[in-house]
Amino acid sequence: MSVHAATGRRLTLGDLAAKKAAGEKLVMVTAYDHPGAQIAEAAGVDIVLVGDSAAMTVLGYDSTVPVTVDEMIMLTAAVRRGLRTPLLVADLPFGSYEASDEQAIATAQRFVKETGCDLVKIERGGTSIDRARALVAAGIPVVGHVGLTPQTATSLGGYRAQGRTAAAARQLIEDAVALQDAGCSMLVVEAVPSDVTAALMPHLAIPVIGIGAGPDADGQVLVFHDLLGLYDGPAAKFVKRYADLRTAAIAGIAAYADEVRSGAYPAPEHGYGMPEAEAARLRTATAG
Ligand code: KIV
């Protein structure tokens, strides 16, 4: 039984550290709205991420780049209202934190104040290491994200695995360690060879959550719409579908449409009645 299932309270970073120390795998899933959050809560996950993958999964953009702070804040606040026990992480969108420490702090403070998220996530090493340090100094817990960083996928050569040469893998490990040293509470590692994650793990004391990063990470994250089969598009190699909700949803709406068109829905039990005396008065009053 997980800590939060046992206690019914919100998980803390200390709980995650204890799970890592005990070798218990951490479960993270994305969510973008209130029902999604309630489903993640009921499934007993440890961490919910309002990823900027929302741009594609629920807002219909063709990459994560266009999503705005206001859009992410609205989605994150809805998720917060549906969660009780998992930790809530919110992605800071592209363009909302990179320019300066001041910009990063102002954006992250908006997320914390307006959504109630527990941590914010930022992508990349490089200047993001300075941003992470500034956010932590301002009292905001941070999740780093290395490997494939979709906000800057174009400069990485597209949506492809990272760290596939020894030199690139060394740089990735250096970035990860620097993010830890900057005070990050957790790290997401996306789309890197399993060997790279295995080489990385001994260097990190903070929980490492993998996605397409092999089995050695402390936990795994998948996108809600991918794992439930809700997303109509090509899936990354690392996606495993655990349900086919899109097919079930289409079948449900098609059955509804058939019944509306045939008149089978609504049936008498779906309607409201009125006292017979009132119905009689109505008939008299409206008789032509
Ligand atoms: O935006 C997102 O959903 C993410 C996860 C894939 C880690 O960053």
Side-chain angles (χ1 to χ4, degrees):
M1 184 185 283
S2 65
V3 169
H4 59 295
T7 63
R9 63 165 169 77
R10 195 183 301 179
L11 277 176
T12 64
L13 289 169
D15 294 325
L16 297 191
K19 284 176 181 244
K20 174 177 165 103
E24 197 182 321
K25 290 287 185 184
L26 301 171
V27 181
M28 180 192 267
V29 67
T30 69
Y32 312 103
D33 58 16
H34 188 257
Q38 289 181 314
I39 289 167
E41 169 84 44
V45 305
D46 300 305
I47 309 152
V48 170
L49 167 67
V50 184
D52 59 359
S53 49
M56 298 154 87
T57 55
V58 298
L59 296 178
Y61 296 120
D62 61 6
S63 80
T64 61
V65 169
V67 71
T68 67
V69 168
D70 287 341
E71 287 168 332
M72 286 296 294
I73 282 183
M74 190 191 69
L75 299 176
T76 309
V79 169
R80 170 82 286 157
R81 291 189 286 272
L83 284 188
R84 202 165 40 86
T85 44
L87 275 170
L88 176 58
V89 180
D91 260 346
L92 300 191
F94 179 70
S96 73
Y97 63 89
E98 300 90 334
S100 66
D101 291 349
E102 291 70 23
Q103 184 200 30
I105 292 170
T107 303
Q109 283 174 339
R110 271 199 71 192
F111 271 81
V112 172
K113 286 165 81 94
E114 296 178 34
T115 75
C117 66
D118 300 302
L119 303 99
V120 297
K121 179 163 80 61
I122 61 178
E123 293 190 1
R124 295 188 316 112
T127 53
S128 289
I129 297 165
D130 298 325
R131 300 295 95 82
R133 190 177 297 106
L135 288 169
V136 173
I140 299 169
V142 179
V143 180
H145 182 155
V146 296
L148 173 57
T149 46
Q151 293 179 0
T152 45
T154 306
S155 65
L156 297 176
Y159 291 87
R160 54 174 57 185
Q162 301 296 307
R164 297 185 90 171
T165 64
R170 256 189 65 183
Q171 181 60 54
L172 188 146
I173 293 169
E174 277 174 23
D175 285 343
V177 170
L179 285 163
Q180 171 175 266
D181 292 347
C184 284
S185 302
M186 207 184 310
L187 189 74
V188 168
V189 182
E190 179 166 354
V192 305
S194 305
D195 287 340
V196 175
T197 309
L200 168 68
M201 293 307 291
H203 297 278
L204 293 183
I206 57 175
V208 176
I209 309 294
I211 175 164
D216 287 323
D218 297 308
Q220 300 290 326
V221 56
L222 278 178
V223 166
F224 187 95
H225 289 56
D226 287 342
L227 85 91
L228 292 179
L230 271 168
Y231 191 60
D232 180 29
K237 183 172 194 273
F238 51 74
V239 169
K240 180 170 178 184
R241 289 201 198 284
Y242 289 86
D244 185 3
L245 296 194
R246 186 167 192 276
T247 301
I250 292 170
I253 293 177
Y256 160 68
D258 284 347
E259 290 204 351
V260 169
R261 291 181 182 126
S262 71
Y265 176 84
E269 68 267 27
H270 302 118
Y272 298 97
M274 67 193 295
E276 179 46 37
E278 293 300 326
R281 270 195 207 102
L282 177 62
R283 282 194 294 276
T284 306
T286 55

